[in-house]
Amino acid sequence: MCYNPSVMDYLDTYAGKAVLITGGLGFIGSNLARRLVDLGAHVTVIDSLIPDYGGNLFNIDGYENRLIVNIADVRDPYAMRALVKGQDLLFNLAGQVSHMDSMTDPFTDLEINARSQLSILEACREENPDAKIIYAGTRQQYGKPRYLPLDEDHLQAPTDVNGVNKLAGEWYHVVYHTAYGLRTSSLRLTNTYGPRQLIKHNRQGFIGWFIRLAVEGKEIQLYGDGSQLRDLTYVDDVVDAFLRAGATDTANGGIYNLGGPAPISLLELASLIVEIAGRGSVTLVPWPEARKKIDIGDVYSSYARIEAALGWKPVTPLADGLARTVAYYTQHLARYTE
Amino acid sequence: MCYNPSVMDYLDTYAGKAVLITGGLGFIGSNLARRLVDLGAHVTVIDSLIPDYGGNLFNIDGYENRLIVNIADVRDPYAMRALVKGQDLLFNLAGQVSHMDSMTDPFTDLEINARSQLSILEACREENPDAKIIYAGTRQQYGKPRYLPLDEDHLQAPTDVNGVNKLAGEWYHVVYHTAYGLRTSSLRLTNTYGPRQLIKHNRQGFIGWFIRLAVEGKEIQLYGDGSQLRDLTYVDDVVDAFLRAGATDTANGGIYNLGGPAPISLLELASLIVEIAGRGSVTLVPWPEARKKIDIGDVYSSYARIEAALGWKPVTPLADGLARTVAYYTQHLARYTE
């Protein structure tokens, strides 16, 4: 049997470690924070709690006394400089994640997704150059696929301002590794789903919104024939990828796609959600012109590079992940809609 | 004979046109401004005249009364909003161009090369959505070549903050074409040389500095064995590429490399400059560690795409271009060193 100790023992490395998570009250950040607390890490979460961005104090329900919550904005360079001191690891997940908002307010997107990343890296370079830093990139950086599945050698050709700024934010991390030796790496996430996702509005992606509509017994509208393929990664699998990347210097300077178990059409996905929820319905409607312009067709990613380097692959079957997600929001709906 | 009217007649399209040039007192901007005035365009140049950036009032010597000079900074959104109104074309050449400065002061580089580009595009979208906009990108966006010559399908993997911000600045242009239909395109310049280049310090590239050292009869120091290959484009050829891209909607949404006649080693180049100048000398010295880290080895670009699309190719032989450049600085040295 093939056994790589540096990979297999990665969960043990977190006991006693000082870990900072930007965006730590958000969807992925809070799931990561809870897991790290369970592994024995000393966790500080930073979140700005900007309304509609995804930060939610209920996301750390039951963990309030087991981690430190620091309300701050990554755009505040002095706060960041103070907070990175003494940390062993930084999981850099704060971001403006709405593609639509990036077009209506491009400067806020730039400040959060590009400028703040540069500011955080400067803070680490000056105050804590040995920290391990893992950045959350996005497959949105690739834009409209030239071939599928998307691998890390695919051209980056973003189709919205958010994609451009996320790309810049990622490459600052790579440059600070190349030029200064900072121990950075980037995971390019695809569609992530699971408990603690923002479902208050539909501007942060379709999955959470579909799940909310089903749980509320409402109609899910799909554009066109709903045949566009997507891949989905369950949040626990995404958390596992961050834990692997954070535990080894193998990942330093590296960029890795995550990916889902297998691509699925939006029509199949919506139907599966409705079936699992036992409520809701699916309807096909024509494409709105503004959305059609920035649509990128089928898109799904190859995770071959991270599987080879860090042993990661998505292990949660879609139906299981969706069932857990539907159960979570059925129980806690008001915490995410009010 | 192959004849494409929209390409062949491109010089005639500029008579009577209102043209705005950001960075218009700089190296390429001023050469472009002079040419456009000669072609009958109504030219406004914008420049911030930030010391050490390249803007130089002597660059428009003899043309002062044939164009409008507006001293302003592209970081000033209100000035830009007012200035883009009523223009037929915008040549968007303002930038912080020192890779070294981008590492010592990354935020200024971000403000000028990324944020200001977004601001200019927003101004055009709101005040002048029909303007033709040509952006000056850079082969620095590619980083260390995976293969040569670099074509536009090569991965963008910048190795310094300047490369990341230039990349973001370019892709805002592409996104504003895709999403809003703005008539943008980008030329990715390689090493440009010629009259009116900054030679006051050596932080904006090696060619101008080599030429200054030779003209002053000093020693040109090369790192390592001087075998690194580069391609050089004479500024008149670069100006011609901007004029071609600005004259046709064929270029809208397009990205095009420029390139030089043939790659040449730094040792051959420096020796040729010394030979043409009839002064100076060439010495090989060991690599400084800080420079070695961000060096990218051999690099030169393919201009096949712009040749096919717009009929452009570099036509000035290197020895001719260097002779004209050496003659210019021999005559006007004090204007560029004091």
Side-chain angles (χ1 to χ4, degrees):
Chain A
M1 184 186 152
C2 173
Y3 176 70
N4 181 341
S6 73
V7 168
M8 295 299 283
D9 298 338
Y10 66 101
L11 295 176
D12 296 338
T13 66
Y14 287 99
K17 286 278 169 42
V19 180
L20 188 66
I21 306 175
T22 69
L25 295 176
F27 170 33
I28 300 168
S30 64
N31 280 286
L32 177 60
R34 301 168 72 98
R35 184 90 166 100
L36 281 163
V37 168
D38 291 342
L39 291 170
H42 303 299
V43 175
T44 302
V45 297
I46 302 178
D47 208 289
S48 60
L49 287 178
I50 298 173
D52 283 9
Y53 270 35
N56 187 334
L57 279 165
F58 184 72
N59 280 344
I60 54 162
D61 184 49
Y63 285 69
E64 301 88 339
N65 301 320
R66 302 173 65 193
L67 48 71
I68 296 166
V69 175
N70 191 110
I71 308 301
D73 193 304
V74 289
R75 286 172 290 187
D76 176 349
Y78 300 104
M80 292 310 300
R81 187 167 293 251
L83 287 161
V84 300
K85 280 189 198 173
Q87 302 291 344
D88 296 306
L89 293 108
L90 166 60
F91 291 102
N92 203 1
L93 278 71
Q96 194 300 104
V97 303
S98 165
H99 308 146
M100 279 180 276
D101 290 2
S102 83
M103 300 305 286
T104 52
D105 184 4
F107 297 105
T108 298
D109 193 90
L110 183 152
E111 291 296 321
I112 295 176
N113 291 329
R115 191 179 217 282
S116 297
Q117 299 305 322
L118 193 53
S119 166
I120 289 168
L121 288 161
E122 277 287 292
C124 289
R125 183 172 75 84
E126 295 188 4
E127 303 289 352
N128 190 357
D130 295 327
K132 192 104 169 74
I133 305 167
I134 317 294
Y135 174 74
T138 166
R139 61 99 176 132
Q140 191 76 9
Q141 296 169 216
Y142 296 117
K144 191 174 170 65
R146 294 176 157 215
Y147 57 82
L148 291 168
L150 292 164
D151 57 32
E152 295 85 351
D153 290 336
H154 188 282
L155 276 192
Q156 296 170 88
T159 57
D160 54 35
V161 168
N162 181 256
V164 178
N165 292 330
K166 288 296 291 182
L167 191 168
E170 177 186 84
W171 282 90
Y172 297 138
H173 283 76
V174 179
V175 165
Y176 273 63
H177 170 72
T178 311
Y180 301 121
L182 293 197
R183 299 159 67 211
T184 63
S185 41
S186 174
L187 304 182
R188 290 182 179 164
L189 311 188
T190 178
N191 306 290
T192 309
Y193 73 102
R196 303 181 183 85
Q197 183 159 24
L198 176 145
I199 58 168
K200 199 167 177 180
H201 57 73
N202 66 357
R203 300 196 311 278
Q204 286 196 2
F206 62 92
I207 316 174
W209 191 244
F210 284 6
I211 290 169
R212 172 177 176 173
L213 290 172
V215 167
E216 291 182 332
K218 292 180 180 163
E219 177 185 270
I220 299 173
Q221 292 194 343
L222 300 177
Y223 299 137
D225 61 4
S227 66
Q228 310 101 290
L229 296 175
R230 291 288 183 277
D231 62 341
L232 285 75
T233 325
Y234 186 64
V235 67
D236 287 0
D237 290 336
V238 172
V239 164
D240 183 61
F242 277 97
L243 294 177
R244 287 175 186 260
T248 170
D249 280 327
T250 303
N252 293 351
I255 291 170
Y256 303 98
N257 282 349
L258 303 192
I264 183 171
S265 76
L266 293 184
L267 182 57
E268 286 176 284
L269 174 66
S271 305
L272 184 58
I273 291 170
V274 165
E275 186 189 316
I276 287 171
R279 281 159 290 172
S281 63
V282 182
T283 311
L284 299 172
V285 300
W287 276 97
E289 198 51 43
R291 295 301 298 270
K292 187 69 187 168
K293 267 190 189 165
I294 56 169
D295 179 62
I296 54 172
D298 293 343
V299 53
Y300 49 93
S301 297
S302 162
Y303 54 83
R305 183 188 284 185
I306 191 171
E307 185 171 19
L310 306 179
W312 182 88
K313 60 182 175 181
V315 297
T316 310
L318 182 60
D320 291 3
L322 288 175
R324 281 186 255 170
T325 309
V326 165
Y328 182 83
Y329 286 109
T330 301
Q331 187 178 356
H332 301 296
L333 189 65
R335 300 291 194 160
Y336 292 89
T337 55
E338 280 166 9
Chain B
M1 183 185 155
C2 174
Y3 177 71
N4 180 342
S6 72
V7 168
M8 296 298 284
D9 298 339
Y10 67 100
L11 295 176
D12 296 337
T13 66
Y14 287 99
K17 286 279 169 43
V19 179
L20 189 66
I21 306 175
T22 69
L25 295 176
F27 170 34
I28 299 168
S30 65
N31 280 286
L32 177 60
R34 299 168 73 99
R35 183 90 167 101
L36 281 163
V37 167
D38 290 341
L39 291 170
H42 304 298
V43 175
T44 302
V45 297
I46 303 178
D47 208 289
S48 59
L49 286 179
I50 298 173
D52 283 8
Y53 270 35
N56 186 335
L57 279 165
F58 184 71
N59 280 344
I60 54 163
D61 183 49
Y63 284 71
E64 301 88 338
N65 301 319
R66 302 172 65 193
L67 48 71
I68 297 166
V69 175
N70 191 108
I71 309 301
D73 194 303
V74 289
R75 286 172 290 188
D76 176 348
Y78 300 105
M80 292 309 300
R81 188 168 292 252
L83 287 161
V84 300
K85 279 188 200 174
Q87 303 290 345
D88 296 307
L89 293 107
L90 166 60
F91 292 101
N92 203 2
L93 278 71
Q96 195 299 104
V97 302
S98 166
H99 307 146
M100 280 181 275
D101 290 3
S102 82
M103 300 305 286
T104 52
D105 184 3
F107 296 105
T108 298
D109 193 89
L110 182 152
E111 291 297 322
I112 294 176
N113 291 330
R115 190 181 218 281
S116 297
Q117 298 306 321
L118 193 53
S119 166
I120 289 168
L121 289 162
E122 278 286 293
C124 289
R125 183 173 75 84
E126 295 188 5
E127 303 290 351
N128 190 358
D130 294 329
K132 191 103 167 79
I133 304 166
I134 317 295
Y135 174 74
T138 167
R139 62 100 176 130
Q140 191 75 9
Q141 296 169 217
Y142 295 118
K144 192 173 169 64
R146 295 177 156 214
Y147 57 82
L148 290 167
L150 291 164
D151 58 31
E152 296 85 349
D153 288 337
H154 188 283
L155 276 192
Q156 296 171 87
T159 56
D160 54 35
V161 169
N162 182 256
V164 178
N165 291 331
K166 289 295 292 182
L167 190 168
E170 177 186 85
W171 282 90
Y172 296 138
H173 283 77
V174 179
V175 165
Y176 274 63
H177 170 72
T178 311
Y180 301 120
L182 293 197
R183 299 160 67 213
T184 64
S185 41
S186 174
L187 304 183
R188 290 182 180 164
L189 311 188
T190 179
N191 305 290
T192 308
Y193 73 102
R196 303 182 182 85
Q197 184 159 23
L198 176 143
I199 58 167
K200 198 167 179 181
H201 58 73
N202 67 357
R203 300 196 310 278
Q204 286 195 5
F206 62 91
I207 315 175
W209 190 244
F210 285 6
I211 290 169
R212 173 178 176 173
L213 290 173
V215 166
E216 291 182 334
K218 293 182 180 163
E219 177 186 271
I220 299 174
Q221 292 195 342
L222 300 177
Y223 300 137
D225 61 2
S227 65
Q228 310 101 289
L229 296 175
R230 292 288 184 275
D231 61 341
L232 286 75
T233 325
Y234 187 63
V235 66
D236 287 0
D237 290 337
V238 173
V239 165
D240 183 60
F242 277 97
L243 294 176
R244 287 175 186 261
T248 168
D249 281 327
T250 301
N252 293 351
I255 291 170
Y256 303 98
N257 281 349
L258 303 192
I264 183 170
S265 76
L266 293 184
L267 182 57
E268 286 177 284
L269 174 66
S271 305
L272 184 58
I273 291 171
V274 165
E275 185 190 317
I276 287 171
R279 281 160 290 171
S281 63
V282 183
T283 311
L284 299 172
V285 298
W287 276 98
E289 198 51 41
R291 295 301 299 270
K292 186 68 187 170
K293 268 190 188 165
I294 57 169
D295 179 62
I296 55 173
D298 294 343
V299 53
Y300 48 94
S301 297
S302 162
Y303 54 84
R305 184 188 284 185
I306 190 171
E307 185 171 20
L310 306 179
W312 182 87
K313 59 181 174 182
V315 297
T316 309
L318 181 59
D320 292 3
L322 287 175
R324 280 187 255 169
T325 309
V326 165
Y328 182 83
Y329 286 109
T330 301
Q331 185 177 358
H332 301 297
L333 190 65
R335 300 290 195 162
Y336 292 89
T337 55
E338 283 166 7

